[in-house]
Amino acid sequence: MKYFNTSGPCDPDLHYMLPASERLPNAMRYISRGQYFVVHAPRQSGKTTTVQQMAYQLTATGKYAALSFSCEMAAPYGGDFSGAEQALLDNITLQAELQALPPECQPPTEWPSSAAGSALNKGLGTWARNCPRPLVLFFDEIDAMGGESLRSVLHQLRAGYTYQKKSFVHSIVLCGLRDVRDYKAASGGDPTRLGSASPFNINVESMRIADFTLAEVTELYRQHTAETGQKFTTRAIDLAYYYTQGQPWLVNSLAAEVIEQMRVETDITDDHIDEAKERLILARATHLDSLIKVLNEPRVQSVIEPIVAGTLPDVDPVFNDSIAYVRDLGLIAPTRPARIANPIYQEVIVRVLGGVIEEAIVAEPRNFRLPDGRLDFRLLLTEFANFWKQNGEIMVAKHGYHEVAPQLVMMAFLHRVVNGGGHIDREYGVGRGRIDLLIRQPYKNAENQRTWQLEALELKVWRDKQADPLATGLAQLDGYLDRLGLNTGVLVIFDRRSDAESIDKRTNFTTAASPAGREITLLRA
């Protein structure tokens, strides 16, 4: 029986999956023309699955000899490009056998001898001339290599294309995490000056494997229904798409969590997806851990910090390059404006950044629960204010993400209290200097029916040389409450001006009237 795969490449005989040709719709046209191109996508987006399946399909047509292979085994050689070349050629030999290329299409039994720095060019040229079919090669994980090894490989491929195309590899596809713009950085050059000096300037296009659309998530989940009879409700599919925005690993992981770990045997509902999302976040699976390890890289922080804060700096060439890099990592969405790629990543990033803070919070979640299961929200705000007076300045000063540290402190406090059964949804008002939070707490009403307590907050920061954000915040909060259909909300303003009063004096509760006439709870901290 097939299942949702969350580790390694997919196998069409074992896993639910989408056809490779649908994920790279232009690839076949470029290959038929003998063009070279780049395929890139974030980790666990289906790159390896896609290129493996394309290679099998191309060979099966009888028209091409196509092979996909990983460059990872060449990575340890670093600047020893001779060793890296030999590792690649050895792996090509192995994969050609494992992938059962026809005997007449197999690479040479022994690769021709050659000077270091030309072995790959000479070997592939010899294979291409003796192969009765046009040769198509997928260099998977190409950016696992670096330094002189990567530079040498790229230069040799470019030389083959430029000077001996008719007797060289028909089409080459470089597949990796990064776009071609970052290959020069990986090979030791200046990433801001690609131009004609790029070691691989012959590619016709740099193609990003897109995340799944809602229609594709629906198709994937319905494969499970066709196989087992277990249905995903429309609301469950819609919610899974919303939480993942189609990121392939997350789409598969939500379904696998519900089916394999939660062992749901009924129709799968949006409540099941909600629970699965929380379980994934708390478990911090390998894929999520691999993302958060880069959060403290300077160029990653330069992008993520202002997004979380709701402000983006003026665009300059360095920042623009950082945006492209973080987008290639999959942390932010591929389309503008810059925003975290999906709600699950949003939650993971904020929880990780606030993790040390949360460890220092001793508030006990059950102390904030009313008998019917609702949150005592006023008590929660009061206790946060007391916590902020005692610890706020120290925590902000020590946090690496200094610009957004006040908001992270509050969100960490909310995580500690609310995560005993409730949910926190967040939106970053990029360019508007705000973070919107919605707390959803399930409880039983007077008729013993499950319903939801909804509490909305907006967080803003008042910095030097800025006007008091109160009026803007009230208007923005009105808009947020209108969308939620709520009549009450909380505006929190953290005063970070250099001449602000002491934290103890400025932390206080008041009420304020919004432009729409709502009575808003105002916490200045």
Side-chain angles (χ1 to χ4, degrees):
M1 183 178 293
K2 291 184 178 182
Y3 59 93
F4 290 97
N5 184 34
T6 60
S7 60
C10 290
D11 183 330
D13 294 327
L14 298 175
H15 308 130
Y16 303 121
M17 59 180 290
L18 300 175
S21 58
E22 294 181 7
R23 305 214 64 199
L24 287 175
N26 294 325
M28 292 302 187
R29 184 170 78 250
Y30 293 147
I31 289 170
S32 68
R33 295 174 177 173
Q35 294 175 307
Y36 290 15
F37 58 97
V38 171
V39 170
H40 70 102
R43 297 190 189 284
Q44 293 186 290
S45 293
K47 295 186 302 294
T48 298
T49 294
T50 299
V51 299
Q52 283 184 351
Q53 291 304 308
M54 287 188 68
Y56 284 126
Q57 291 167 12
L58 286 164
T59 301
T61 66
K63 185 177 179 180
Y64 300 99
L67 187 73
S68 67
F69 57 93
S70 174
C71 300
E72 287 182 295
M73 60 285 305
Y77 289 90
D80 177 11
F81 49 84
S82 177
E85 288 174 323
Q86 192 57 52
L88 288 177
L89 292 172
D90 288 346
N91 193 38
I92 287 172
T93 300
L94 174 63
Q95 292 303 319
E97 180 181 349
L98 293 176
Q99 294 175 38
L101 281 184
E104 68 276 13
C105 296
Q106 289 285 328
T109 305
E110 291 187 11
W111 295 102
S113 60
S114 178
S118 61
L120 188 66
N121 178 283
K122 188 172 182 179
L124 295 183
T126 300
W127 183 17
R129 286 190 294 273
N130 290 293
C131 184
R133 304 182 192 179
L135 194 57
V136 180
L137 297 180
F138 296 87
F139 285 68
D140 196 16
E141 304 291 350
I142 180 70
D143 49 1
M145 302 173 64
E148 289 302 319
S149 294
L150 178 58
R151 185 192 296 270
S152 175
V153 167
L154 296 177
H155 279 307
Q156 289 183 66
L157 297 181
R158 185 174 67 180
Y161 179 90
T162 304
Y163 298 108
Q164 59 190 84
K165 184 65 170 69
K166 292 184 178 180
S167 58
F168 198 65
V169 183
H170 174 72
S171 181
I172 284 178
V173 185
L174 302 185
C175 312
L177 172 69
R178 295 175 287 191
D179 195 354
V180 70
R181 73 172 68 86
D182 233 24
Y183 284 12
K184 192 170 185 183
S187 61
D190 180 356
T192 67
R193 297 185 61 189
L194 282 175
S196 61
S198 170
F200 197 72
N201 64 347
I202 53 175
N203 62 304
V204 65
E205 185 182 347
S206 187
M207 305 166 63
R208 187 185 192 277
I209 296 182
D211 292 330
F212 296 153
T213 63
L214 175 58
E216 289 171 330
V217 174
T218 302
E219 178 186 342
L220 191 70
Y221 283 4
R222 284 181 178 168
Q223 289 179 20
H224 173 75
T225 300
E227 178 96 358
T228 67
Q230 186 180 37
K231 296 179 181 179
F232 288 81
T233 66
T234 300
R235 287 174 60 89
I237 295 173
D238 288 346
L239 188 60
Y241 177 73
Y242 167 73
Y243 281 148
T244 65
Q245 294 297 292
Q247 203 286 331
W249 184 87
L250 293 176
V251 170
N252 279 277
S253 292
L254 280 180
E257 188 71 24
V258 171
I259 296 163
E260 305 290 341
Q261 303 302 321
M262 294 163 55
R263 297 192 177 277
V264 173
E265 297 180 353
T266 60
D267 286 353
I268 296 169
T269 69
D270 52 329
D271 284 341
H272 296 133
I273 297 296
D274 241 339
E275 182 180 347
K277 182 261 294 185
E278 288 296 313
R279 289 166 62 103
L280 280 184
I281 291 170
L282 292 175
R284 288 245 310 261
T286 303
H287 168 71
L288 300 178
D289 257 354
S290 69
L291 287 175
I292 63 180
K293 285 177 181 177
V294 303
L295 288 178
N296 289 320
E297 286 186 20
R299 58 176 170 168
V300 173
Q301 181 172 344
S302 72
V303 175
I304 298 299
E305 186 169 27
I307 289 178
V308 174
T311 60
L312 281 177
D314 294 334
V315 175
D316 58 44
V318 174
F319 181 72
N320 200 45
D321 180 67
S322 296
I323 283 272
Y325 173 68
V326 177
R327 186 170 283 128
D328 286 347
L329 291 177
L331 283 170
I332 62 175
T335 55
R336 293 177 175 82
R339 62 191 186 281
I340 305 301
N342 56 67
I344 291 179
Y345 286 3
Q346 272 186 191
E347 192 70 15
V348 170
I349 288 170
V350 170
R351 290 195 190 188
V352 169
L353 294 178
V356 175
I357 299 170
E358 192 172 347
E359 290 292 329
I361 297 171
V362 296
E364 183 58 49
R366 65 171 177 267
N367 294 338
F368 296 86
R369 293 295 189 283
L370 297 172
D372 60 3
R374 286 178 300 149
L375 285 167
D376 187 334
F377 197 57
R378 181 68 186 195
L379 176 61
L380 184 155
L381 293 174
T382 301
E383 288 301 308
F384 169 74
N386 292 333
F387 177 81
W388 179 256
K389 288 179 182 179
Q390 297 172 22
N391 305 285
E393 296 288 9
I394 297 173
M395 289 187 164
V396 169
K398 289 183 176 180
H399 204 285
Y401 274 60
H402 185 73
E403 292 301 305
V404 75
Q407 299 98 308
L408 290 173
V409 172
M410 181 160 201
M411 287 188 282
F413 191 91
L414 294 175
H415 292 155
R416 174 72 179 133
V417 173
V418 175
N419 283 343
H423 306 279
I424 303 174
D425 303 328
R426 69 193 82 243
E427 296 180 15
Y428 305 133
V430 177
R432 291 170 288 175
R434 73 193 225 202
I435 300 174
D436 293 329
L437 305 176
L438 175 65
I439 296 174
R440 296 182 292 126
Q441 176 66 43
Y443 70 99
K444 294 294 182 66
N445 63 16
E447 289 74 38
N448 203 35
Q449 296 173 326
R450 189 171 186 257
T451 189
W452 292 90
Q453 174 189 5
L454 303 178
E455 304 287 354
L457 302 91
E458 181 163 311
L459 313 184
K460 295 185 75 68
V461 176
W462 188 1
R463 302 191 186 282
D464 285 331
K465 300 180 181 179
Q466 293 179 345
D468 188 341
L470 174 61
T472 301
L474 289 172
Q476 290 173 338
L477 185 54
D478 260 339
Y480 188 47
L481 295 174
D482 284 341
R483 286 194 287 115
L484 297 173
L486 299 178
N487 289 317
T488 60
V490 177
L491 176 61
V492 182
I493 297 177
F494 294 96
D495 193 342
R496 305 304 300 157
R497 294 174 299 160
S498 56
D499 61 348
E501 292 183 304
S502 70
I503 196 169
D504 187 61
K505 288 184 178 180
R506 68 175 180 260
T507 302
N508 62 81
F509 284 103
T510 56
T511 58
S514 74
R518 294 182 172 96
E519 186 174 272
I520 301 299
T521 299
L522 174 63
L523 171 58
R524 288 189 180 271

